[in-house]
């Protein structure tokens, strides 16, 4: 077994598991365990690529201050990289995100600023607008995962090739969510280059605008949802929506209970966005009349949601558990 020189070398090459005990119809469903990255989420990949690209371009150097707007996991990946490379990090995070994420960020040495989750893009208190404004006022480097092409590159160069190799190219569909858009654009482009017939399936929380946009091309006003990390009230700059061939809307209740079912049946503990992806993947699988190999992501660890979705009392209070 390999001995690593530092924690950053351990990012990527995550395992793939076949989900055996859930109703996948005629299909086989595989989950790529991004929760096994050292920072416990898929966002470790983009954190390294975005920071190292900025270093190569001469935009940042150790000792500088970085700032990012994030639902938490990109921030945690960035905090891990920043701590190893000698950067100061400021994180702007909406107030609906779990306290576990904030505690984890602070433990890495990042400064966390909470802002409103009930306002949309363009509002002065919207988390991305806050981060951009603070970067301009203080001369901090704004990483901006939502417009950063290195976000796409990380998934094109690592996540997708790993999927392809692990299943020997036998992939019929991949089910993905949209947060910043980098995953679908990077993974989708790579897989479509290997096989144009692969279905790229959108898993979208109810309240997000993305399924409606995919189906109609129209922008609508967003609702609200409790799922963290995916679903949007705008189309991120780096999100190539044309890659999607099908979309499923998943309610908060479906998402959270599917994640809990995944834990009970498969002993795989994912976060709330994992519940959305697996729920949509199961819908897709059950819709198929021919056997297919379907891949989705276990985006992050469920340990960041113990006070919420894995807490029976919280679930009952929110009306998600009877």
């Amino acid at each position: 077994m390999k001995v690593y020189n530092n924690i950053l070398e351990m990012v990527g090459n995550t395992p793939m598991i076949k989900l055996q005990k859930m109703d996948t119809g005629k299909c086989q469903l595989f989950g790529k365990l991004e929760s096994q990255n050292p920072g416990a989420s898929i966002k470790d990949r983009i954190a390294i690529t975005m920071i190292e690209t900025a270093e190569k371009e001469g935009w940042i150097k150790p000792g500088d201050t970085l700032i990012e707007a994030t639902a938490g996991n990109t921030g945690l990946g960035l905090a891990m990289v920043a701590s190893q490379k000698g950067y100061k990090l400021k994180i702007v995070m909406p107030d609906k995100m779990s306290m576990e994420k904030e505690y984890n960020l602070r433990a890495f040495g990042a400064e966390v600023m909470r802002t409103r989750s009930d306002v949309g893009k363009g509002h002065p208190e919207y988390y991305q607008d806050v981060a951009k404004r603070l970067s301009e006022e203080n001369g901090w480097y704004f990483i901006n995962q939502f417009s950063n092409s290195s976000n796409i590159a990380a998934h094109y160069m690592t996540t997708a090739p790993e999927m392809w190799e692990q299943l020997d190219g036998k992939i019929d569909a991949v089910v993905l969510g949209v947060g910043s858009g980098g995953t679908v654009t990077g993974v989708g482009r790579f897989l479509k280059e290997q096989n144009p017939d692969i279905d790229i399936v959108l898993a979208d929380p109810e309240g997000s605008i993305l399924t409606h946009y995919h189906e109609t091309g129209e922008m609508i006003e967003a609702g609200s949802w409790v799922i963290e990390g995916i679903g949007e009230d705008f189309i991120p700059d780096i999100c190539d929506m044309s890659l999607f061939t099908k979309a499923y809307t998943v309610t908060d209740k479906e998402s959270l209970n599917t994640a809990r079912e995944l834990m009970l049946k498969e002993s795989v503990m994912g976060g709330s966005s994992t519940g959305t992806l697996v729920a949509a993947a199961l819908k897709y699988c059950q819709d198929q009349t021919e056997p297919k190999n379907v891949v989705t992501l276990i985006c992050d660890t469920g340990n960041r949601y113990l006070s919420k979705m894995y807490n029976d009392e919280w679930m009952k209070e929110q009306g998600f558990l009877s």
Side-chain angles (χ1 to χ4, degrees):
M1 296 179 71
K2 183 177 180 179
V3 175
Y4 295 92
N5 293 311
N6 61 66
I7 199 77
L8 303 185
E9 291 183 358
M10 296 173 64
V11 174
N13 295 307
T14 54
M16 184 86 79
I17 185 171
K18 181 179 177 182
L19 301 179
Q20 302 267 25
K21 297 184 178 180
M22 304 183 86
D23 182 6
T24 61
K26 294 179 179 293
C27 298
Q28 295 187 102
L29 178 58
F30 301 87
K32 188 156 173 60
L33 294 173
E34 292 299 294
S35 55
Q36 300 304 298
N37 280 305
S41 91
I42 192 170
K43 299 296 189 177
D44 289 2
R45 297 177 185 268
I46 70 170
I48 289 177
T49 307
M50 292 189 300
I51 286 181
E52 291 189 344
T53 299
E55 289 175 332
K56 288 172 187 172
E57 296 295 331
W59 298 330
I60 58 173
K61 61 184 184 307
D64 287 349
T65 298
L66 317 179
I67 186 168
E68 180 60 332
T70 170
N73 282 325
T74 299
L76 286 160
L78 291 169
M80 180 179 69
V81 179
S83 72
Q84 294 300 298
K85 287 178 168 284
Y87 294 97
K88 302 181 188 73
L89 181 65
K90 314 281 187 181
I91 293 297
V92 183
M93 190 164 63
D95 56 17
K96 79 172 186 178
M97 305 309 166
S98 71
M99 284 305 300
E100 287 93 333
K101 289 178 181 175
E102 180 171 339
Y103 297 148
N104 202 337
L105 281 162
R106 294 188 187 281
F108 267 126
E111 179 185 341
V112 179
M113 294 166 271
R114 291 275 193 163
T115 189
R116 290 170 61 181
S117 57
D118 63 341
V119 294
K121 192 171 179 65
H123 190 283
E125 293 183 72
Y126 188 64
Y127 72 123
Q128 294 172 42
D129 293 274
V130 170
K132 184 174 186 294
R133 184 176 70 251
L134 290 172
S135 73
E136 293 168 350
E137 291 173 355
N138 296 280
W140 301 333
Y141 179 72
F142 182 29
I143 294 166
N144 194 8
Q145 60 180 314
F146 297 89
S147 300
N148 195 319
S149 60
S150 296
N151 184 344
I152 299 170
H155 297 298
Y156 184 90
M157 295 186 300
T158 69
T159 317
E162 289 172 27
M163 288 179 179
W164 189 254
E165 182 179 356
Q166 285 168 311
L167 289 178
D168 297 320
K170 294 172 181 159
I171 299 174
D172 299 298
V174 60
V175 182
L176 304 169
V178 171
S180 62
T183 307
V184 63
T185 306
V187 170
R189 285 178 180 170
F190 179 91
L191 292 180
K192 286 286 193 181
E193 287 172 6
Q194 314 313 309
N195 177 4
D197 294 329
I198 291 176
D199 277 343
I200 309 297
V201 182
L202 170 64
D204 201 33
E206 185 177 53
S208 167
I209 69 165
L210 300 173
T211 294
H212 183 84
Y213 182 84
H214 165 74
E215 293 173 347
T216 68
E218 297 173 352
M219 297 292 290
I220 57 171
E221 186 174 343
S224 62
W225 57 96
V226 302
I227 302 308
E228 300 184 24
I230 60 171
E232 279 301 351
D233 52 7
F234 72 108
I235 308 296
D237 292 341
I238 61 170
C239 182
D240 185 352
M241 288 292 293
S242 70
L243 289 164
F244 288 116
T245 50
K246 191 167 183 59
Y248 290 92
T249 294
V250 183
T251 67
D252 285 333
K253 186 173 183 177
E254 286 177 303
S255 296
L256 299 176
N257 282 289
T258 300
R260 288 164 63 103
E261 182 186 4
L262 182 69
M263 176 73 168
L264 285 170
K265 290 186 175 178
E266 306 281 356
S267 296
V268 173
M269 192 182 197
S272 59
S273 61
T274 295
T276 307
L277 268 61
V278 173
L282 291 172
K283 290 174 190 276
Y284 176 87
C285 288
Q286 292 160 15
D287 283 347
Q288 305 310 304
T289 57
E290 299 292 334
K292 290 185 177 180
N293 283 346
V294 182
V295 180
T296 194
L297 300 169
I298 311 303
C299 311
D300 72 342
T301 176
N303 287 327
R304 289 179 181 149
Y305 309 87
L306 292 174
S307 62
K308 291 189 172 184
M309 58 188 281
Y310 291 107
N311 177 349
D312 287 355
E313 294 308 311
W314 182 88
M315 288 285 287
K316 288 174 184 175
E317 288 170 5
Q318 301 295 318
F320 299 136
L321 196 66
S322 56

